[in-house]
Amino acid sequence: MKHRIIKILITGGIITLSFALQSSFSLLNYRSVATPNLLLITTCIFGFMRGCNYGSVTGLFCGLLVDIFFGDVIGLYALIYMYVGFFGGLFKKMFYSDHVFMPLLLVFSGDFAYNMGCYTFRLLLRNKLDFSYYFWNIFFPEMIITTFVTLIVYKLFYLLNEKVLTQKQENKLSFDR
């Protein structure tokens, strides 16, 4: 029980820190389009390391933060992040500590899916049809910078997952104290 509460608090702290850093990066680079999507990195990596359910719940909370503070409608970003976390969790069986290629590919494709969802629901339905402009000037630079930041941040998430989030529980009888 104590381990579960610690795991929830650490995950909540990481989500809050990622949201604060992503918001400050966006404010600092308001003229530049390409800022790393740290919440997407958090969602993809937690889904990849911990599974579909953990990735979905992490994505739900990350998306709700974005919806509450920056969204027009509550639930759009939560749904997109939740699906990205779920599909990231499908690759949990391929999780190896040495290989960094799979998380990079997962974050790259997750960022593409995120941007396509945003384009579909925010731009395409408003009759803004210039996909090539949005892809080359907004989507692609964000996907590249997010993947590059994942290369840096992945090892930190891996160490946190190994040292703190997956502690083995010892089976102790209650009268052995």
Side-chain angles (χ1 to χ4, degrees):
M1 182 69 178
K2 181 180 174 184
H3 178 66
R4 181 174 287 170
I5 292 172
I6 291 172
K7 186 166 51 169
I8 290 171
L9 288 175
I10 289 173
T11 304
I14 290 172
I15 291 171
T16 306
L17 181 67
S18 297
F19 178 72
L21 287 174
Q22 181 174 334
S23 300
S24 62
F25 285 156
S26 297
L27 291 175
L28 290 175
N29 297 331
Y30 66 92
R31 292 180 190 223
S32 173
V33 176
T35 57
N37 194 340
L38 297 175
L39 291 173
L40 187 88
I41 293 171
T42 303
T43 301
C44 284
I45 291 180
F46 273 152
F48 181 63
M49 288 183 182
R50 310 288 298 162
C52 294
N53 293 335
Y54 205 85
S56 295
V57 171
T58 304
L60 177 69
F61 285 114
C62 289
L64 281 176
L65 276 175
V66 174
D67 279 333
I68 290 170
F69 287 100
F70 301 115
D72 299 334
V73 179
I74 301 287
L76 174 65
Y77 290 107
L79 185 68
I80 293 171
Y81 277 105
M82 190 172 67
Y83 278 128
V84 167
F86 177 78
F87 287 119
L90 292 177
F91 295 97
K92 181 184 178 202
K93 292 182 181 176
M94 296 181 189
F95 175 63
Y96 300 110
S97 62
D98 325 11
H99 306 296
V100 77
F101 178 72
M102 189 63 189
L104 291 177
L105 183 66
L106 187 64
V107 169
F108 188 80
S109 61
D111 202 3
F112 178 75
Y114 167 79
N115 284 320
M116 285 303 296
C118 290
Y119 174 76
T120 302
F121 293 115
R122 299 199 72 217
L123 299 172
L124 187 65
L125 294 177
R126 294 181 183 169
N127 204 18
K128 297 183 180 180
L129 303 175
D130 194 8
F131 179 75
S132 63
Y133 172 79
Y134 291 115
F135 180 78
W136 290 110
N137 293 327
I138 297 172
F139 298 173
F140 193 68
E142 181 184 324
M143 290 181 339
I144 296 299
I145 194 73
T146 302
T147 306
F148 179 72
V149 171
T150 302
L151 187 65
I152 298 168
V153 173
Y154 172 70
K155 195 64 175 173
L156 296 172
F157 277 103
Y158 173 73
L159 290 173
L160 180 75
N161 185 48
E162 288 297 312
K163 301 296 181 191
V164 178
L165 296 179
T166 40
Q167 292 178 348
K168 301 224 179 227
Q169 302 262 338
E170 294 180 13
N171 292 331
K172 293 183 179 180
L173 296 174
S174 60
F175 55 86
D176 286 344
R177 295 180 190 192

